[in-house]
Amino acid sequence: MGMTENKLKKEIGFTVAMSLVIGTVIGSGVFMKPGKVIEYAGDSTMALWAWILGGIITLAGGLTIAEVSSQIPKTGGLYVYLEEVYGKVWGYLSGWVQTIIYGPAIIGALGLYFGSLLANLFSLEGQWKLWLGIGSVVFLGIINSIGTKYGGIVQTLSTVGKLIPIALIIVFGIWKGNNEVLGIGSGISSTEVSLGAAVLATLWAYDGWMLVGFVAGEMKNPAKLLPRAIITGLSLVTAIYLLVNVALLQVLPADKVVALGENAAGTAASVLFGDIGGKLISIGILVSIFGCLNGKILTFPRVPYAMAEREQLPGSGLLSRVHDKFGTPVYATTLQIVFAVVMMIISNPDRLSEIAIFSVYLFYIQAFFAVFILRKRNRDVKRVYSVPLYPLIPIVAIIGSGFVVISTIFDNPQDSLLAIGITLAGLPVYFMLQRGRARNRKETVKAAG
């Protein structure tokens, strides 16, 4: 986890870097969230603005984190950045939140979205959604535990799978749809209108950008390539999301998009391409979500595994074990799957995705602020990459994320306080484990003496 990446080959050029940005960001959100964003925003115009604001916050965040990651060239992402800048406790807390809330909630939400679309595709009754979702999560958990190369095949197929339906919905929706796009109400008067909640919902669709900075050490010329890849990649993603929403609104009225929820894109495809065409597009969307879910189940268990290696979780001895035959962190993967399944049973996908994004943004804000601390600390060190328009871009990232976090606390105090409570619950666990380790060290010294 703490190894410096000195020996990475510098082989990544602009096209690969940009496709990495687009590939890691576009997952399920563009298909799942349009209805929720309109519902929270109150009407279609404000919903489109929410998508733009989400894109701006993400772009500012991506450019800022790129400098942080280039100054801390170590594997481990958020966990390592916060530990290096703020000390062990903050690094630990971010890892704790990723293990207990963020990872399982994202896996759970994706599983439930997948189950819902699959049930809808085969016209199955409502109760099937949960079981199909749980089945897909458990299945991929087993596949990734077996340490197979199939994970990579799923990723490749899903990348193609997600781009085809997006392209077809945009082109044919804008060409054939003739509904009014702007100023159309959500049709729901019971939900309180909140731009903050709408932007939070879009941030689920933009999530994944944190991985962008990881490849800085493998770029031919990171100072030049990284900002170009991030700006081009995330601008394209924002444009794609806006165009998908415009296309959906041209095919279906805003209140219908809200009522259909995660099934809006599939329904729009049926309107555009008939039943069989609609089903094919729905299969493409399912492949996209399945691939996204596979990627999360492959990567998220690496956080508890790395924490367990440092004895920072209860049961670290077990969680840090790698399977003898498969060479995978089986127990850390099982932990994430069990937590995800429990969340799937007790909650719904929209709520899970919102809790996940809220909880991780508490730490993203710290990571953005780290750029100021690192510049002061490493004043005499030459930077391979500097965030453009400093300090404006980091300030936009901090203010934008702060707005989303604070408005979420006001809009949804129950879930926000639950997430903050679980975060703070990590502190007594941390100090208890520290005490236990100190005691063990004393006993070892005593026994040796």
Side-chain angles (χ1 to χ4, degrees):
M1 189 88 180
M3 297 271 289
T4 307
E5 310 286 297
N6 289 330
K7 301 203 172 93
L8 292 170
K9 286 187 178 172
K10 294 188 178 293
E11 290 180 340
I12 293 179
F14 172 71
T15 311
V16 174
M18 188 184 72
S19 61
L20 271 172
V21 174
I22 295 169
T24 50
V25 172
I26 296 178
S28 65
V30 64
F31 305 117
M32 301 296 101
K33 288 295 183 183
K36 267 291 166 215
V37 176
I38 296 169
E39 183 185 329
Y40 292 144
D43 69 54
S44 56
T45 307
M46 289 311 290
L48 293 174
W49 274 113
W51 285 100
I52 293 168
L53 286 171
I56 291 168
I57 293 169
T58 305
L59 182 56
L63 290 166
T64 305
I65 287 299
E67 181 173 324
V68 174
S69 73
S70 68
Q71 292 209 50
I72 306 172
K74 294 180 179 180
T75 327
L78 191 61
Y79 179 54
V80 168
Y81 304 154
L82 298 189
E83 185 176 272
E84 289 276 325
V85 177
Y86 301 102
K88 277 194 159 54
V89 174
W90 285 109
Y92 163 82
L93 274 182
S94 80
W96 168 263
V97 163
Q98 288 177 78
T99 298
I100 305 289
I101 311 176
Y102 177 71
I106 283 192
I107 291 168
L110 285 168
L112 288 170
Y113 285 137
F114 183 81
S116 174
L117 289 184
L118 198 57
N120 193 54
L121 183 69
F122 293 106
S123 308
L124 300 171
E125 286 172 22
Q127 70 264 29
W128 277 94
K129 292 177 184 178
L130 176 63
W131 298 113
L132 288 168
I134 290 173
S136 63
V137 165
V138 171
F139 170 74
L140 283 174
I142 293 166
I143 288 283
N144 281 291
S145 296
I146 293 170
T148 169
K149 45 198 171 298
Y150 302 126
I153 297 166
V154 171
Q155 282 316 105
T156 311
L157 283 172
S158 70
T159 304
V160 177
K162 67 188 161 195
L163 294 176
I164 291 171
I166 285 172
L168 290 173
I169 287 170
I170 289 172
V171 171
F172 286 90
I174 290 171
W175 175 30
K176 290 191 164 181
N178 50 17
N179 285 341
E180 198 63 49
V181 170
L182 299 175
I184 309 299
S186 68
I188 293 186
S189 51
S190 57
T191 308
E192 204 157 305
V193 171
S194 162
L195 186 61
V199 175
L200 182 77
T202 71
L203 291 176
W204 161 264
Y206 287 109
D207 197 45
W209 57 267
M210 184 57 94
L211 301 169
V212 169
F214 290 14
V215 291
E218 294 162 79
M219 286 192 174
K220 289 169 184 168
N221 180 356
K224 215 163 104 187
L225 282 183
L226 199 56
R228 269 179 57 209
I230 292 170
I231 292 166
T232 312
L234 289 176
S235 300
L236 276 171
V237 170
T238 307
I240 288 165
Y241 287 179
L242 270 175
L243 290 168
V244 166
N245 278 274
V246 168
L248 282 178
L249 288 164
Q250 284 206 297
V251 176
L252 302 168
D255 56 350
K256 192 94 187 283
V257 176
V258 174
L260 286 163
E262 57 258 36
N263 294 308
T267 307
S270 299
V271 172
L272 289 169
F273 308 109
D275 273 355
I276 293 171
K279 279 199 168 24
L280 287 172
I281 298 285
S282 294
I283 290 165
I285 296 170
L286 278 165
V287 170
S288 169
I289 296 173
F290 194 70
C292 188
L293 184 56
N294 178 68
K296 306 298 188 200
I297 291 172
L298 175 71
T299 52
F300 285 162
R302 268 58 185 173
V303 175
Y305 170 71
M307 291 183 78
E309 278 197 311
R310 296 172 174 210
E311 296 176 20
Q312 287 188 334
L313 287 174
S316 285
L318 193 63
L319 292 171
S320 62
R321 270 197 220 162
V322 171
H323 193 280
D324 294 340
K325 186 179 169 192
F326 304 131
T328 55
V330 172
Y331 297 102
T333 303
T334 305
L335 178 80
Q336 295 282 275
I337 299 299
V338 169
F339 282 173
V341 169
V342 170
M343 288 184 181
M344 290 166 82
I345 292 166
I346 61 173
S347 193
N348 67 65
D350 288 320
R351 192 176 168 200
L352 287 180
S353 62
E354 282 156 24
I355 290 173
I357 299 302
F358 171 80
S359 67
V360 85
Y361 262 82
L362 295 171
F363 294 96
Y364 281 176
I365 292 168
Q366 277 186 289
F368 301 148
F369 194 75
V371 81
F372 298 105
I373 297 169
L374 287 167
R375 284 225 178 174
K376 207 171 170 187
R377 193 185 288 175
N378 305 336
R379 204 176 286 125
D380 307 322
V381 181
K382 191 175 182 297
R383 287 187 297 275
V384 292
Y385 160 80
S386 299
V387 60
L389 304 177
Y390 178 89
L392 182 66
I393 299 280
I395 289 169
V396 168
I398 292 164
I399 291 172
S401 307
F403 161 69
V404 170
V405 164
I406 291 161
S407 60
T408 307
I409 292 169
F410 283 107
D411 292 335
N412 192 348
Q414 196 182 350
D415 286 348
S416 304
L417 292 173
L418 176 70
I420 292 166
I422 294 170
T423 304
L424 295 175
L427 285 173
V429 176
Y430 176 77
F431 292 117
M432 193 178 73
L433 290 168
Q434 289 289 91
R435 259 205 311 274
R437 283 167 73 184
R439 199 167 49 240
N440 290 344
R441 271 198 298 271
K442 262 185 203 159
E443 283 166 11
T444 309
V445 169
K446 207 185 280 180

PDB file of all heavy atoms in Angstrom, residues 165-195:
ATOM      1  N   PRO A 165     -25.748   1.755 -26.348  1.00  0.00           N
ATOM      2  CA  PRO A 165     -27.064   2.336 -26.020  1.00  0.00           C
ATOM      3  C   PRO A 165     -27.027   3.843 -25.840  1.00  0.00           C
ATOM      4  O   PRO A 165     -27.970   4.538 -26.232  1.00  0.00           O
ATOM      5  CB  PRO A 165     -27.463   1.640 -24.711  1.00  0.00           C
ATOM      6  CG  PRO A 165     -26.269   0.942 -24.204  1.00  0.00           C
ATOM      7  CD  PRO A 165     -25.363   0.713 -25.370  1.00  0.00           C
ATOM      8  N   ILE A 166     -25.926   4.366 -25.273  1.00  0.00           N
ATOM      9  CA  ILE A 166     -25.819   5.820 -25.079  1.00  0.00           C
ATOM     10  C   ILE A 166     -25.866   6.524 -26.434  1.00  0.00           C
ATOM     11  O   ILE A 166     -26.633   7.469 -26.635  1.00  0.00           O
ATOM     12  CB  ILE A 166     -24.518   6.180 -24.318  1.00  0.00           C
ATOM     13  CG1 ILE A 166     -24.670   5.825 -22.826  1.00  0.00           C
ATOM     14  CG2 ILE A 166     -24.163   7.661 -24.468  1.00  0.00           C
ATOM     15  CD1 ILE A 166     -23.397   5.943 -22.021  1.00  0.00           C
ATOM     16  N   ALA A 167     -25.051   6.042 -27.373  1.00  0.00           N
ATOM     17  CA  ALA A 167     -24.994   6.668 -28.709  1.00  0.00           C
ATOM     18  C   ALA A 167     -26.350   6.596 -29.407  1.00  0.00           C
ATOM     19  O   ALA A 167     -26.826   7.589 -29.971  1.00  0.00           O
ATOM     20  CB  ALA A 167     -23.922   5.982 -29.551  1.00  0.00           C
ATOM     21  N   LEU A 168     -27.011   5.422 -29.350  1.00  0.00           N
ATOM     22  CA  LEU A 168     -28.296   5.256 -30.046  1.00  0.00           C
ATOM     23  C   LEU A 168     -29.395   6.121 -29.426  1.00  0.00           C
ATOM     24  O   LEU A 168     -30.187   6.738 -30.141  1.00  0.00           O
ATOM     25  CB  LEU A 168     -28.717   3.776 -30.032  1.00  0.00           C
ATOM     26  CG  LEU A 168     -27.855   2.845 -30.909  1.00  0.00           C
ATOM     27  CD1 LEU A 168     -28.240   1.394 -30.686  1.00  0.00           C
ATOM     28  CD2 LEU A 168     -28.010   3.199 -32.391  1.00  0.00           C
ATOM     29  N   ILE A 169     -29.427   6.175 -28.078  1.00  0.00           N
ATOM     30  CA  ILE A 169     -30.460   6.996 -27.412  1.00  0.00           C
ATOM     31  C   ILE A 169     -30.251   8.468 -27.750  1.00  0.00           C
ATOM     32  O   ILE A 169     -31.209   9.193 -28.050  1.00  0.00           O
ATOM     33  CB  ILE A 169     -30.459   6.751 -25.879  1.00  0.00           C
ATOM     34  CG1 ILE A 169     -31.050   5.362 -25.570  1.00  0.00           C
ATOM     35  CG2 ILE A 169     -31.257   7.830 -25.146  1.00  0.00           C
ATOM     36  CD1 ILE A 169     -30.882   4.902 -24.130  1.00  0.00           C
ATOM     37  N   ILE A 170     -28.996   8.934 -27.745  1.00  0.00           N
ATOM     38  CA  ILE A 170     -28.729  10.354 -28.055  1.00  0.00           C
ATOM     39  C   ILE A 170     -29.140  10.672 -29.498  1.00  0.00           C
ATOM     40  O   ILE A 170     -29.928  11.596 -29.747  1.00  0.00           O
ATOM     41  CB  ILE A 170     -27.227  10.693 -27.836  1.00  0.00           C
ATOM     42  CG1 ILE A 170     -26.892  10.703 -26.341  1.00  0.00           C
ATOM     43  CG2 ILE A 170     -26.882  12.052 -28.462  1.00  0.00           C
ATOM     44  CD1 ILE A 170     -25.403  10.843 -26.022  1.00  0.00           C
ATOM     45  N   VAL A 171     -28.626   9.888 -30.449  1.00  0.00           N
ATOM     46  CA  VAL A 171     -28.854  10.203 -31.869  1.00  0.00           C
ATOM     47  C   VAL A 171     -30.337  10.133 -32.225  1.00  0.00           C
ATOM     48  O   VAL A 171     -30.916  11.086 -32.760  1.00  0.00           O
ATOM     49  CB  VAL A 171     -28.015   9.267 -32.779  1.00  0.00           C
ATOM     50  CG1 VAL A 171     -28.409   9.447 -34.237  1.00  0.00           C
ATOM     51  CG2 VAL A 171     -26.524   9.539 -32.591  1.00  0.00           C
ATOM     52  N   PHE A 172     -30.971   8.993 -31.903  1.00  0.00           N
ATOM     53  CA  PHE A 172     -32.370   8.814 -32.319  1.00  0.00           C
ATOM     54  C   PHE A 172     -33.345   9.599 -31.444  1.00  0.00           C
ATOM     55  O   PHE A 172     -34.377  10.055 -31.924  1.00  0.00           O
ATOM     56  CB  PHE A 172     -32.730   7.320 -32.338  1.00  0.00           C
ATOM     57  CG  PHE A 172     -32.115   6.589 -33.503  1.00  0.00           C
ATOM     58  CD1 PHE A 172     -30.858   6.006 -33.395  1.00  0.00           C
ATOM     59  CD2 PHE A 172     -32.770   6.537 -34.725  1.00  0.00           C
ATOM     60  CE1 PHE A 172     -30.278   5.353 -34.468  1.00  0.00           C
ATOM     61  CE2 PHE A 172     -32.197   5.894 -35.817  1.00  0.00           C
ATOM     62  CZ  PHE A 172     -30.945   5.303 -35.689  1.00  0.00           C
ATOM     63  N   GLY A 173     -33.008   9.779 -30.171  1.00  0.00           N
ATOM     64  CA  GLY A 173     -33.876  10.559 -29.280  1.00  0.00           C
ATOM     65  C   GLY A 173     -33.969  12.005 -29.731  1.00  0.00           C
ATOM     66  O   GLY A 173     -35.054  12.585 -29.804  1.00  0.00           O
ATOM     67  N   ILE A 174     -32.810  12.590 -30.059  1.00  0.00           N
ATOM     68  CA  ILE A 174     -32.797  14.006 -30.477  1.00  0.00           C
ATOM     69  C   ILE A 174     -33.374  14.154 -31.888  1.00  0.00           C
ATOM     70  O   ILE A 174     -34.069  15.125 -32.193  1.00  0.00           O
ATOM     71  CB  ILE A 174     -31.362  14.583 -30.374  1.00  0.00           C
ATOM     72  CG1 ILE A 174     -30.989  14.709 -28.886  1.00  0.00           C
ATOM     73  CG2 ILE A 174     -31.234  15.929 -31.078  1.00  0.00           C
ATOM     74  CD1 ILE A 174     -29.548  15.068 -28.593  1.00  0.00           C
ATOM     75  N   TRP A 175     -33.152  13.131 -32.732  1.00  0.00           N
ATOM     76  CA  TRP A 175     -33.643  13.179 -34.117  1.00  0.00           C
ATOM     77  C   TRP A 175     -35.153  12.939 -34.178  1.00  0.00           C
ATOM     78  O   TRP A 175     -35.888  13.679 -34.833  1.00  0.00           O
ATOM     79  CB  TRP A 175     -32.872  12.113 -34.928  1.00  0.00           C
ATOM     80  CG  TRP A 175     -33.326  11.942 -36.356  1.00  0.00           C
ATOM     81  CD1 TRP A 175     -33.864  12.887 -37.175  1.00  0.00           C
ATOM     82  CD2 TRP A 175     -33.267  10.729 -37.125  1.00  0.00           C
ATOM     83  NE1 TRP A 175     -34.136  12.353 -38.409  1.00  0.00           N
ATOM     84  CE2 TRP A 175     -33.788  11.033 -38.411  1.00  0.00           C
ATOM     85  CE3 TRP A 175     -32.821   9.445 -36.867  1.00  0.00           C
ATOM     86  CZ2 TRP A 175     -33.880  10.070 -39.413  1.00  0.00           C
ATOM     87  CZ3 TRP A 175     -32.904   8.495 -37.864  1.00  0.00           C
ATOM     88  CH2 TRP A 175     -33.432   8.797 -39.122  1.00  0.00           C
ATOM     89  N   LYS A 176     -35.653  11.937 -33.455  1.00  0.00           N
ATOM     90  CA  LYS A 176     -37.061  11.548 -33.603  1.00  0.00           C
ATOM     91  C   LYS A 176     -37.993  12.124 -32.532  1.00  0.00           C
ATOM     92  O   LYS A 176     -39.197  12.214 -32.733  1.00  0.00           O
ATOM     93  CB  LYS A 176     -37.172  10.010 -33.572  1.00  0.00           C
ATOM     94  CG  LYS A 176     -36.584   9.348 -34.810  1.00  0.00           C
ATOM     95  CD  LYS A 176     -36.948   7.882 -34.857  1.00  0.00           C
ATOM     96  CE  LYS A 176     -36.720   7.295 -36.236  1.00  0.00           C
ATOM     97  NZ  LYS A 176     -37.090   5.875 -36.309  1.00  0.00           N
ATOM     98  N   GLY A 177     -37.422  12.460 -31.344  1.00  0.00           N
ATOM     99  CA  GLY A 177     -38.278  12.973 -30.263  1.00  0.00           C
ATOM    100  C   GLY A 177     -38.759  14.369 -30.575  1.00  0.00           C
ATOM    101  O   GLY A 177     -38.074  15.146 -31.233  1.00  0.00           O
ATOM    102  N   ASN A 178     -39.966  14.712 -30.103  1.00  0.00           N
ATOM    103  CA  ASN A 178     -40.455  16.071 -30.387  1.00  0.00           C
ATOM    104  C   ASN A 178     -41.128  16.720 -29.183  1.00  0.00           C
ATOM    105  O   ASN A 178     -41.894  17.649 -29.316  1.00  0.00           O
ATOM    106  CB  ASN A 178     -41.408  16.059 -31.602  1.00  0.00           C
ATOM    107  CG  ASN A 178     -42.479  14.996 -31.453  1.00  0.00           C
ATOM    108  OD1 ASN A 178     -42.709  14.496 -30.361  1.00  0.00           O
ATOM    109  ND2 ASN A 178     -43.133  14.652 -32.562  1.00  0.00           N
ATOM    110  N   ASN A 179     -40.849  16.200 -27.975  1.00  0.00           N
ATOM    111  CA  ASN A 179     -41.410  16.820 -26.763  1.00  0.00           C
ATOM    112  C   ASN A 179     -40.652  18.091 -26.411  1.00  0.00           C
ATOM    113  O   ASN A 179     -39.501  18.267 -26.797  1.00  0.00           O
ATOM    114  CB  ASN A 179     -41.315  15.855 -25.561  1.00  0.00           C
ATOM    115  CG  ASN A 179     -42.353  14.748 -25.650  1.00  0.00           C
ATOM    116  OD1 ASN A 179     -43.329  14.860 -26.370  1.00  0.00           O
ATOM    117  ND2 ASN A 179     -42.127  13.684 -24.913  1.00  0.00           N
ATOM    118  N   GLU A 180     -41.311  18.948 -25.642  1.00  0.00           N
ATOM    119  CA  GLU A 180     -40.663  20.145 -25.107  1.00  0.00           C
ATOM    120  C   GLU A 180     -39.641  19.716 -24.058  1.00  0.00           C
ATOM    121  O   GLU A 180     -39.923  18.857 -23.232  1.00  0.00           O
ATOM    122  CB  GLU A 180     -41.741  21.041 -24.465  1.00  0.00           C
ATOM    123  CG  GLU A 180     -41.319  22.477 -24.260  1.00  0.00           C
ATOM    124  CD  GLU A 180     -41.019  23.217 -25.561  1.00  0.00           C
ATOM    125  OE1 GLU A 180     -41.823  23.166 -26.500  1.00  0.00           O
ATOM    126  OE2 GLU A 180     -39.933  23.824 -25.604  1.00  0.00           O
ATOM    127  N   VAL A 181     -38.429  20.288 -24.092  1.00  0.00           N
ATOM    128  CA  VAL A 181     -37.357  19.854 -23.170  1.00  0.00           C
ATOM    129  C   VAL A 181     -37.278  20.744 -21.933  1.00  0.00           C
ATOM    130  O   VAL A 181     -37.134  20.257 -20.813  1.00  0.00           O
ATOM    131  CB  VAL A 181     -35.992  19.825 -23.910  1.00  0.00           C
ATOM    132  CG1 VAL A 181     -34.833  19.619 -22.940  1.00  0.00           C
ATOM    133  CG2 VAL A 181     -35.992  18.720 -24.971  1.00  0.00           C
ATOM    134  N   LEU A 182     -37.355  22.064 -22.116  1.00  0.00           N
ATOM    135  CA  LEU A 182     -37.108  22.995 -21.005  1.00  0.00           C
ATOM    136  C   LEU A 182     -38.390  23.391 -20.273  1.00  0.00           C
ATOM    137  O   LEU A 182     -39.470  23.447 -20.866  1.00  0.00           O
ATOM    138  CB  LEU A 182     -36.398  24.247 -21.524  1.00  0.00           C
ATOM    139  CG  LEU A 182     -35.015  24.018 -22.165  1.00  0.00           C
ATOM    140  CD1 LEU A 182     -34.478  25.317 -22.735  1.00  0.00           C
ATOM    141  CD2 LEU A 182     -34.029  23.432 -21.159  1.00  0.00           C
ATOM    142  N   GLY A 183     -38.224  23.658 -18.972  1.00  0.00           N
ATOM    143  CA  GLY A 183     -39.317  24.213 -18.160  1.00  0.00           C
ATOM    144  C   GLY A 183     -40.477  23.277 -17.910  1.00  0.00           C
ATOM    145  O   GLY A 183     -41.582  23.732 -17.604  1.00  0.00           O
ATOM    146  N   ILE A 184     -40.273  21.960 -18.011  1.00  0.00           N
ATOM    147  CA  ILE A 184     -41.357  20.992 -17.780  1.00  0.00           C
ATOM    148  C   ILE A 184     -41.256  20.463 -16.347  1.00  0.00           C
ATOM    149  O   ILE A 184     -40.205  19.989 -15.921  1.00  0.00           O
ATOM    150  CB  ILE A 184     -41.288  19.815 -18.782  1.00  0.00           C
ATOM    151  CG1 ILE A 184     -41.176  20.326 -20.228  1.00  0.00           C
ATOM    152  CG2 ILE A 184     -42.496  18.889 -18.626  1.00  0.00           C
ATOM    153  CD1 ILE A 184     -42.327  21.176 -20.713  1.00  0.00           C
ATOM    154  N   GLY A 185     -42.367  20.562 -15.607  1.00  0.00           N
ATOM    155  CA  GLY A 185     -42.383  20.171 -14.189  1.00  0.00           C
ATOM    156  C   GLY A 185     -42.209  18.673 -13.986  1.00  0.00           C
ATOM    157  O   GLY A 185     -42.450  17.876 -14.900  1.00  0.00           O
ATOM    158  N   SER A 186     -41.817  18.305 -12.776  1.00  0.00           N
ATOM    159  CA  SER A 186     -41.561  16.890 -12.459  1.00  0.00           C
ATOM    160  C   SER A 186     -42.844  16.098 -12.240  1.00  0.00           C
ATOM    161  O   SER A 186     -42.828  14.869 -12.257  1.00  0.00           O
ATOM    162  CB  SER A 186     -40.702  16.796 -11.189  1.00  0.00           C
ATOM    163  OG  SER A 186     -41.449  17.241 -10.066  1.00  0.00           O
ATOM    164  N   GLY A 187     -43.952  16.810 -12.013  1.00  0.00           N
ATOM    165  CA  GLY A 187     -45.227  16.107 -11.770  1.00  0.00           C
ATOM    166  C   GLY A 187     -45.359  15.620 -10.334  1.00  0.00           C
ATOM    167  O   GLY A 187     -46.335  14.971  -9.972  1.00  0.00           O
ATOM    168  N   ILE A 188     -44.364  15.914  -9.488  1.00  0.00           N
ATOM    169  CA  ILE A 188     -44.408  15.479  -8.083  1.00  0.00           C
ATOM    170  C   ILE A 188     -44.357  16.711  -7.200  1.00  0.00           C
ATOM    171  O   ILE A 188     -43.388  17.466  -7.219  1.00  0.00           O
ATOM    172  CB  ILE A 188     -43.233  14.527  -7.751  1.00  0.00           C
ATOM    173  CG1 ILE A 188     -43.415  13.222  -8.518  1.00  0.00           C
ATOM    174  CG2 ILE A 188     -43.129  14.265  -6.253  1.00  0.00           C
ATOM    175  CD1 ILE A 188     -42.445  12.147  -8.195  1.00  0.00           C
ATOM    176  N   SER A 189     -45.418  16.909  -6.419  1.00  0.00           N
ATOM    177  CA  SER A 189     -45.448  18.100  -5.562  1.00  0.00           C
ATOM    178  C   SER A 189     -44.995  17.775  -4.135  1.00  0.00           C
ATOM    179  O   SER A 189     -44.653  18.662  -3.374  1.00  0.00           O
ATOM    180  CB  SER A 189     -46.871  18.678  -5.528  1.00  0.00           C
ATOM    181  OG  SER A 189     -47.779  17.636  -5.218  1.00  0.00           O
ATOM    182  N   SER A 190     -44.956  16.466  -3.801  1.00  0.00           N
ATOM    183  CA  SER A 190     -44.638  16.084  -2.412  1.00  0.00           C
ATOM    184  C   SER A 190     -43.150  16.223  -2.092  1.00  0.00           C
ATOM    185  O   SER A 190     -42.759  16.458  -0.959  1.00  0.00           O
ATOM    186  CB  SER A 190     -45.078  14.642  -2.148  1.00  0.00           C
ATOM    187  OG  SER A 190     -44.453  13.778  -3.077  1.00  0.00           O
ATOM    188  N   THR A 191     -42.281  16.083  -3.115  1.00  0.00           N
ATOM    189  CA  THR A 191     -40.840  16.173  -2.866  1.00  0.00           C
ATOM    190  C   THR A 191     -40.413  17.637  -2.789  1.00  0.00           C
ATOM    191  O   THR A 191     -40.798  18.446  -3.627  1.00  0.00           O
ATOM    192  CB  THR A 191     -40.049  15.496  -4.009  1.00  0.00           C
ATOM    193  OG1 THR A 191     -40.555  14.192  -4.190  1.00  0.00           O
ATOM    194  CG2 THR A 191     -38.556  15.412  -3.688  1.00  0.00           C
ATOM    195  N   GLU A 192     -39.630  17.968  -1.755  1.00  0.00           N
ATOM    196  CA  GLU A 192     -39.137  19.327  -1.617  1.00  0.00           C
ATOM    197  C   GLU A 192     -38.060  19.587  -2.680  1.00  0.00           C
ATOM    198  O   GLU A 192     -37.153  18.776  -2.857  1.00  0.00           O
ATOM    199  CB  GLU A 192     -38.552  19.522  -0.224  1.00  0.00           C
ATOM    200  CG  GLU A 192     -38.570  20.974   0.188  1.00  0.00           C
ATOM    201  CD  GLU A 192     -38.533  21.130   1.703  1.00  0.00           C
ATOM    202  OE1 GLU A 192     -39.394  20.564   2.397  1.00  0.00           O
ATOM    203  OE2 GLU A 192     -37.613  21.816   2.162  1.00  0.00           O
ATOM    204  N   VAL A 193     -38.181  20.709  -3.377  1.00  0.00           N
ATOM    205  CA  VAL A 193     -37.220  21.015  -4.431  1.00  0.00           C
ATOM    206  C   VAL A 193     -35.881  21.413  -3.805  1.00  0.00           C
ATOM    207  O   VAL A 193     -35.835  22.231  -2.895  1.00  0.00           O
ATOM    208  CB  VAL A 193     -37.759  22.157  -5.338  1.00  0.00           C
ATOM    209  CG1 VAL A 193     -36.691  22.647  -6.304  1.00  0.00           C
ATOM    210  CG2 VAL A 193     -38.978  21.662  -6.108  1.00  0.00           C
ATOM    211  N   SER A 194     -34.795  20.808  -4.281  1.00  0.00           N
ATOM    212  CA  SER A 194     -33.476  21.120  -3.746  1.00  0.00           C
ATOM    213  C   SER A 194     -32.420  20.888  -4.820  1.00  0.00           C
ATOM    214  O   SER A 194     -32.230  19.764  -5.274  1.00  0.00           O
ATOM    215  CB  SER A 194     -33.161  20.235  -2.533  1.00  0.00           C
ATOM    216  OG  SER A 194     -31.770  20.227  -2.274  1.00  0.00           O
ATOM    217  N   LEU A 195     -31.752  21.971  -5.207  1.00  0.00           N
ATOM    218  CA  LEU A 195     -30.686  21.842  -6.208  1.00  0.00           C
ATOM    219  C   LEU A 195     -29.543  20.995  -5.654  1.00  0.00           C
ATOM    220  O   LEU A 195     -28.932  20.211  -6.375  1.00  0.00           O
ATOM    221  CB  LEU A 195     -30.184  23.231  -6.630  1.00  0.00           C
ATOM    222  CG  LEU A 195     -29.166  23.243  -7.768  1.00  0.00           C
ATOM    223  CD1 LEU A 195     -29.737  22.657  -9.055  1.00  0.00           C
ATOM    224  CD2 LEU A 195     -28.635  24.652  -8.030  1.00  0.00           C
TER     225      LEU A 195
END
